[in-house]
Amino acid sequence: MADKNNDFKKNPFSLQVDLSRFSPSQFDLATEEEKAQQEVMSESTTFFKDGMRRLKKNPLAMMSIVVLVLIVLACVVGPMVVPYGYEEMISVNGRRDKTAKNLMPFTWSKNEQKAIDEGQKLFPHILGTDEQCRDYFVRILYGTRVSLAVGLFASIIVLIIGLLYGSVAGYAGGRVDLIMMRIVDIIYSLPDMLMVILLSVIMKETLAPLIQNTVLAGLGVNMISLFLVFALLYWVSMARLVRGQILTIKENEYILAARSIGAKPARIIRQHIIPNCLSVIIISTALQVPSAIFTESFLSFLGMGVQAPMPSLGSLANAARSGLQSYPHKLVFPAVVICLIVLSFNLLGDGLRDAFDPKLRR
Amino acid sequence: MSSEYLVEVKDLKQYFPVSTGFMKKTSLKAVDGVSFSIRPGETLGLVGESGCGKTTVGRTILRLYQPTGGEVLFDGRKVTNSNITELRKEMQMVFQDPYSSLDPRMTVEDIIGEPLDVHKLYSTRAERREKILNLMELVGLNAEHARRYAHEFSGGQRQRIGIARALAVDPRFIICDEPVSALDVSIQAQVVNMFEDLQKQLGVAYLFIAHDLLIVRHISDRIAVMYLGKIVEIADADELNDNPQHPYTISLLSAVPIPDPKITRQRKRIILQGDVPSPMHMPTGCAFRSRCRYATEQCARECPSLADRGNGHMVACWNK
Ligand SMILES: Nc1ncnc2c1ncn2[C@@H]1O[C@H](COP(=O)(O)OP(=O)(O)OP(=O)(O)O)[C@@H](O)[C@H]1O
Ligand SMILES: [Mg+2]
């Protein structure tokens, strides 16, 4: 019989600690406190706080938030400060001033100059005036308002329709999903700009008698048909996105776990599915805003957007086209504002995606 | 009315439709005629290789999948779609993957509290919180972590959260679907011991699914061995260990490591030849015959059914 200790003889090439050199009394049991130290826990943060923290670290996203806030503030406060209306022609001493046409920024017309010399105080034309003697700065402020409103409303419409349609398709699955998604494919395959133009032309004709003498008439037929066009065409990518999200979330075991607990479908959608795809939806809505603004500007530029005298950034740019050689600044200003808005929303959307995508955790 | 058994599974079948190309459909027989029963407070181990249908058995018992055939009796009562919501207070499940079975947007408190919310098992907020803290203590979680999110915990801690959620409704039967296979070996032992302690304290019955025979042997009173959707052998844990009958069980047991090098060296490992047949194209007769050393003509013709070899040791084999 070999010696019992021989079983534990250390192989000379082994890197293991030679336990035969120790006796059991040399070992201590770990105390509870020492065990607790093994459990390293990081500081608790909620998902939202964590995302905001990362968003704050992104200089581009923060800059776009600042730019957007400034633009919105200017749109809201500007028209209150500047004493001109967007459709008001400049008048001096109660009489229309026909000399105040196509003024350069910070200049006065002959009549205004006279009034100032007489001791009157007038508000400067910060960006000059247009060819119909209207203050250009105020028009740009109103145009920005319109463009932002169109962008936000269109995104909200897209969000609501896309969310409902996509979540029904995704949650129901099977045949329902198949049919609903084929409809989306058909809408998706239509050339969208052509459809937008055709639809807004047709809508204009059919809508005009319908909305006469209602509140909607104030908005203008063009605006309403624009919204309708967005509602009819642009929700498809949102619906696809939502459906895809729900399909992947549905596969997770925590949905099965909720079912095994006895949770009803409504509760599962409310408590588990929507919170888990919310960040993706918010982000793509933020990215939808610039695309809607862009489309609105494009349509207004073609003369199919908002109705004169209401300005929008696109129609202002369009109007500036005729006098491009003499007054290039009239095209530059609305173009710069469009660029700023679109760029800021895009950068903000990108920043949101980076901050809230759990897979990009840093 | 109640019988000797808490849970009785009779000839349970679960076929999944799978499409094999355009307009062609076949069914995948994930579970094909499984029967077993579990007494109150007992643990039945269910072992088998990956893909043999263990998870599907568990989920079909809980009606997470609609069974294709067969029935499940709980406490003598037939489980149907109309009484399942009520029975979910009695039967619960701990899931295989502690990472995907907890909602990342919920705090631990809300995860454990969800069964309480669904079944309205409290009258005040304070009572809810107290119940949750008791459950956390029961599974060895620190009560200070109640407001944290699941992703902040380690695998072992997450599995404890999953167990606390299953225990929240005070069930009499828990299906544990490989609750430790995603965990590290050192933590496996802790969690398995916790399952045993909980059983002693609360008297729950377990269906303990695993592919690791060593763990199943340790925790189970009886063990069922599964191969391609069918149970091939059921016996008491010790009996199965000392006197395995089915060739598949014998080969499984021969692969279990024994913590003694001398025995291990002497022991002959039986390495199975051949491949596992696809569950979509099941061979005729006995499913195991393509890999069995004892296969005869009879095995190709007829599928053996479970037959009692005394003391409740059931084997499904013609030759053994
Ligand atoms: N929802 C489903 N639809 C179609 N087939 C499925 C589905 N769920 C499981 N299967 C198939 O059923 C068979 C059994 O799967 P199951 O998950 O029950 O195996 P398992 O024994 O739990 O394996 P593991 O040990 O890897 O967890 C597999 O072939 C699998 O592909
Ligand atoms: Mg499984």
Side-chain angles (χ1 to χ4, degrees):
Chain A
M1 226 16 224
D3 189 37
K4 192 123 205 330
N5 265 349
N6 262 4
D7 281 0
F8 302 114
K9 240 298 149 47
K10 184 175 184 282
N11 180 333
F13 298 109
S14 160
L15 290 174
Q16 262 180 344
V17 178
D18 186 0
L19 287 177
S20 63
R21 292 206 318 237
F22 301 98
S23 68
S25 60
Q26 281 172 294
F27 291 95
D28 276 345
L29 280 177
T31 62
E32 281 303 314
E33 205 177 308
E34 280 165 328
K35 280 186 197 162
Q37 278 172 2
Q38 298 284 313
E39 289 181 16
V40 187
M41 299 284 288
S42 60
E43 198 38 50
S44 173
T45 48
T46 68
F47 184 79
F48 185 72
K49 264 197 236 155
D50 201 33
M52 288 314 280
R53 203 200 67 228
R54 261 173 294 140
L55 189 66
K56 277 186 198 137
K57 278 196 203 149
N58 183 340
L60 279 179
M62 290 319 283
M63 226 159 68
S64 18
I65 291 180
V66 171
V67 169
L68 285 175
V69 167
L70 285 181
I71 290 177
V72 170
L73 268 183
C75 287
V76 174
V77 179
M80 294 181 208
V81 177
V82 183
Y84 305 109
Y86 70 89
E87 48 180 345
E88 176 195 330
M89 294 169 197
I90 305 295
S91 53
V92 178
N93 295 329
R95 295 194 55 230
R96 250 197 80 183
D97 179 7
K98 288 210 174 119
T99 55
K101 200 182 198 179
N102 288 329
L103 291 176
M104 294 301 276
F106 288 106
T107 53
W108 304 106
S109 69
K110 273 190 211 126
N111 291 346
E112 281 176 321
Q113 195 61 53
K114 229 181 272 166
I116 291 169
D117 291 345
E118 283 164 13
Q120 270 188 39
K121 279 223 151 61
L122 291 177
F123 198 86
H125 303 297
I126 297 173
L127 298 181
T129 56
D130 69 359
E131 72 288 344
Q132 292 185 43
C133 311
R134 296 174 294 200
D135 188 83
Y136 205 52
F137 182 59
V138 171
R139 284 185 68 75
I140 287 205
L141 288 183
Y142 272 94
T144 312
R145 250 191 202 187
V146 169
S147 291
L148 276 178
V150 169
L152 288 175
F153 275 115
S155 314
I156 289 170
I157 293 174
V158 164
L159 174 70
I160 292 171
I161 299 178
L163 189 63
L164 287 178
Y165 196 92
S167 45
V168 168
Y171 195 79
R175 202 168 293 257
V176 178
D177 177 38
L178 191 84
I179 293 170
M180 287 177 88
M181 281 302 120
R182 288 302 82 76
I183 294 173
V184 164
D185 287 345
I186 291 169
I187 296 179
Y188 209 80
S189 65
L190 301 171
D192 52 354
M193 271 308 158
L194 186 68
M195 286 307 291
V196 167
I197 292 167
L198 285 178
L199 271 175
S200 51
V201 170
I202 298 166
M203 293 270 184
K204 224 189 289 185
E205 310 241 304
T206 50
L207 262 181
L210 274 178
I211 60 163
Q212 244 171 12
N213 304 326
T214 62
V215 200
L216 291 174
L219 263 177
V221 186
N222 276 358
M223 278 278 244
I224 292 166
S225 60
L226 247 176
F227 286 142
L228 280 176
V229 162
F230 278 115
L232 283 177
L233 288 181
Y234 278 37
W235 54 271
V236 284
S237 48
M238 178 65 85
R240 272 190 173 171
L241 183 90
V242 171
R243 168 186 172 267
Q245 278 289 310
I246 287 183
L247 282 185
T248 47
I249 290 170
K250 238 173 58 170
E251 289 304 308
N252 278 309
E253 266 188 348
Y254 58 82
I255 300 294
L256 218 54
R259 280 180 55 209
S260 79
I261 282 164
K264 300 253 155 33
R267 186 190 163 87
I268 292 176
I269 292 183
R270 211 176 51 236
Q271 294 281 330
H272 299 284
I273 292 182
I274 291 188
N276 276 291
C277 61
L278 203 60
S279 59
V280 176
I281 292 169
I282 291 175
I283 292 156
S284 70
T285 311
L287 290 175
Q288 187 74 51
V289 175
S291 117
I293 290 178
F294 200 78
T295 312
E296 183 276 333
S297 302
F298 175 76
L299 286 177
S300 299
F301 185 82
L302 294 181
M304 273 173 298
V306 297
Q307 234 153 7
M310 178 66 94
S312 94
L313 292 174
S315 62
L316 287 175
N318 185 30
R321 217 167 30 135
S322 50
L324 191 57
Q325 264 143 12
S326 347
Y327 314 107
H329 68 277
K330 286 208 281 181
L331 180 59
V332 171
F333 291 126
V336 165
V337 178
I338 294 178
C339 286
L340 275 181
I341 295 176
V342 173
L343 194 65
S344 303
F345 269 110
N346 273 323
L347 289 175
L348 178 63
D350 273 351
L352 281 173
R353 187 180 53 216
D354 291 350
F356 283 95
D357 189 342
K359 292 196 190 86
L360 294 174
R361 282 265 153 93
R362 272 159 303 194
Chain B
M1 186 207 118
S2 74
S3 63
E4 183 197 349
Y5 294 111
L6 182 68
V7 180
E8 283 174 83
V9 176
K10 291 182 183 164
D11 200 26
L12 195 68
K13 288 189 178 124
Q14 179 66 58
Y15 300 168
F16 291 115
V18 277
S19 52
T20 53
F22 184 67
M23 301 292 272
K24 267 186 276 177
K25 275 205 177 135
T26 51
S27 57
L28 185 154
K29 300 183 176 177
V31 175
D32 196 10
V34 162
S35 308
F36 56 80
S37 30
I38 302 172
R39 294 187 189 88
E42 185 192 44
T43 303
L44 176 70
L46 184 61
V47 287
E49 63 199 329
S50 193
C52 71
K54 306 179 297 289
T55 300
T56 311
V57 168
R59 291 184 179 172
T60 312
I61 292 175
L62 272 185
R63 293 252 161 171
L64 294 177
Y65 299 148
Q66 237 359 275
T68 313
E71 60 178 13
V72 179
L73 303 184
F74 185 86
D75 215 359
R77 248 196 323 160
K78 197 172 168 201
V79 178
T80 60
N81 281 341
S82 54
N83 65 10
I84 184 66
T85 321
E86 195 187 316
L87 282 175
R88 291 210 158 119
K89 271 196 276 189
E90 311 269 7
M91 297 195 278
Q92 275 297 317
M93 185 152 185
V94 175
F95 286 83
Q96 186 165 358
D97 180 0
Y99 294 89
S100 81
S101 62
L102 305 176
D103 189 336
R105 297 293 154 81
M106 283 173 119
T107 59
V108 173
E109 189 177 350
D110 286 333
I111 291 173
I112 300 176
E114 190 171 22
L116 302 175
D117 297 339
V118 168
H119 296 286
K120 301 190 179 60
L121 296 177
Y122 57 87
S123 43
T124 60
R125 296 296 295 177
E127 194 188 337
R128 177 178 187 264
R129 185 152 175 83
E130 195 194 309
K131 280 194 171 173
I132 291 166
L133 293 184
N134 283 342
L135 283 164
M136 288 181 74
E137 203 184 309
L138 192 65
V139 297
L141 285 170
N142 193 337
E144 286 151 29
H145 296 161
R147 292 269 158 78
R148 302 202 161 190
Y149 287 81
H151 69 83
E152 300 172 47
F153 290 88
S154 69
Q157 289 171 318
R158 283 162 178 245
Q159 202 54 292
R160 286 166 196 264
I161 299 170
I163 296 165
R165 169 172 63 187
L167 289 173
V169 291
D170 206 1
R172 283 191 281 165
F173 174 51
I174 299 181
I175 296 170
C176 312
D177 184 9
E178 305 199 31
V180 294
S181 59
L183 306 179
D184 217 274
V185 185
S186 59
I187 296 161
Q188 280 188 353
Q190 283 178 20
V191 174
V192 169
N193 288 341
M194 189 180 69
F195 272 110
E196 285 190 306
D197 291 344
L198 289 172
Q199 189 166 45
K200 276 188 209 120
Q201 273 183 56
L202 309 170
V204 284
Y206 293 138
L207 173 64
F208 199 94
I209 300 172
H211 53 236
D212 184 346
L213 251 179
L214 211 56
I215 288 174
V216 171
R217 218 158 60 186
H218 174 75
I219 196 172
S220 309
D221 300 308
R222 286 189 304 134
I223 298 177
V225 180
M226 221 175 144
Y227 185 79
L228 275 186
K230 287 194 174 73
I231 288 185
V232 294
E233 186 162 4
I234 304 188
D236 285 348
D238 297 332
E239 164 78 10
L240 190 93
N241 190 31
D242 301 338
N243 185 21
Q245 297 283 321
H246 196 280
Y248 180 61
T249 317
I250 295 172
S251 74
L252 271 187
L253 278 169
S254 81
V256 172
I258 297 174
D260 185 337
K262 278 186 197 146
I263 300 180
T264 309
R265 249 174 261 128
Q266 283 160 13
R267 198 162 62 135
K268 210 172 75 192
R269 255 200 82 182
I270 302 164
I271 295 164
L272 288 176
Q273 303 294 320
D275 292 325
V276 189
S278 149
M280 269 182 277
H281 308 284
M282 288 286 243
T284 55
C286 177
F288 187 60
R289 83 185 149 86
S290 60
R291 300 165 80 190
C292 183
R293 291 186 294 162
Y294 308 101
T296 61
E297 243 177 65
Q298 191 185 15
C299 301
R301 272 199 317 275
E302 270 178 285
C303 185
S305 54
L306 277 177
D308 201 331
R309 309 281 162 95
N311 285 332
H313 189 156
M314 314 256 273
V315 185
C317 185
W318 295 122
N319 305 311
K320 275 286 182 164

